[in-house]
């Protein structure tokens, strides 16, 4: 049985990942703002990943006693408002960056600092990281930065395998 942590399990891809992993008999640890009611057996902690100060403590409580994560799926994210860059308030762009980029740094740093060995990190990316589609301003920027951040962590943490996956619409 592998230990797997999935962020953003309340809906969408994260929910699907958690469900499939549970069905495969994996021990799944889930994080999201809202607890899904239909994932029995998942070890869950409600957390707003943009609350950077709370993340290390909440994560420590969730993973208490764990020495190894076989898989970490960084899936949580927000789209933000669809609008042109010049119409995008800086506060909105910062919020998207906080959730889609910086929360993952805080999460990874907390896990690595705890001494938990992480075998594989899968970063859920997007074609928006490279396509630059009009209107997807903050989301595109955050996902492009997220890809680079994963490359930097991969260069620094050679004991962990990092990969990014852009599943498409």
């Amino acid at each position: 049985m592998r230990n797997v942590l999935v962020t953003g399990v309340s809906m969408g891809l994260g929910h699907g990942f958690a469900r499939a992993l549970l069905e495969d008999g994996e021990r799944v640890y889930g994080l999201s703002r809202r607890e899904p009611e239909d994932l029995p057996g998942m070890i869950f902690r409600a957390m707003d990943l943009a609350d950077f100060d709370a993340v290390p403590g909440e994560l420590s409580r969730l993973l208490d006693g764990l020495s190894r994560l076989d898989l970490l799926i960084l899936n949580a994210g927000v789209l933000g408002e669809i609008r042109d860059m010049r119409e995008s308030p800086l506060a909105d762009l910062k919020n998207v960056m906080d959730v889609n980029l910086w929360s993952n740094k805080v999460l990874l740093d907390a896990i690595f600092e705890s001494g938990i060995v992480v075998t594989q990190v899968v970063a859920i990316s997007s074609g928006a990281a490279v396509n630059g589609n009009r209107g997807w301003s903050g989301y595109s920027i955050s996902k492009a930065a997220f890809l680079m951040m994963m490359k930097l962590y991969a260069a620094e943490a050679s004991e962990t395998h990092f990969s990014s996956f852009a599943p498409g619409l």
Side-chain angles (χ1 to χ4, degrees):
M1 178 183 309
R2 296 183 308 161
N3 294 317
V4 182
L5 173 60
V6 182
T7 66
V9 296
S10 64
M11 60 186 205
L13 286 173
H15 188 272
F17 290 139
R19 177 185 303 283
L21 289 160
L22 286 165
E23 288 172 357
D24 285 348
E26 309 295 5
R27 181 178 298 115
V28 178
Y29 297 83
L31 293 173
S32 61
R33 287 176 289 170
R34 293 172 308 279
E35 183 172 7
E37 297 176 7
D38 60 341
L39 295 176
M42 181 175 65
I43 304 160
F44 178 79
R45 192 93 187 164
M47 184 185 317
D48 181 352
L49 290 172
D51 184 357
F52 301 148
D53 293 336
V55 169
E58 293 295 323
L59 193 60
S60 176
R61 284 184 274 288
L62 175 69
L63 302 178
D64 184 42
L66 200 63
S67 63
R68 185 189 84 256
L69 269 176
D70 299 290
L71 176 61
L72 168 56
I73 301 175
L74 299 174
N75 168 73
V78 295
L79 179 59
E81 294 290 326
I82 303 294
R83 57 180 142 195
D84 286 348
M85 276 298 296
R86 65 178 177 257
E87 296 170 358
S88 298
L90 188 55
D92 291 356
L93 297 173
K94 284 181 177 182
N95 179 64
V96 172
M97 292 296 285
D98 282 351
V99 174
N100 295 358
L101 177 66
W102 300 126
S103 68
N104 289 297
K105 178 189 178 351
V106 171
L107 187 89
L108 283 169
D109 289 350
I111 290 172
F112 287 132
E113 288 171 13
S114 76
I116 295 173
V117 174
V118 181
T119 305
Q120 170 79 39
V121 174
V122 175
I124 302 304
S125 184
S126 170
V130 294
N131 293 335
N133 294 330
R134 182 177 182 170
W136 289 56
S137 307
Y139 186 77
S140 295
I141 293 168
S142 71
K143 288 299 186 173
F146 185 44
L147 282 175
M148 181 52 68
M149 188 171 73
M150 291 303 100
K151 288 181 182 182
L152 295 169
Y153 271 104
E156 297 171 9
S158 60
E159 69 282 359
T160 301
H161 183 263
F162 287 81
S163 57
S164 294
F165 174 66
L169 297 174

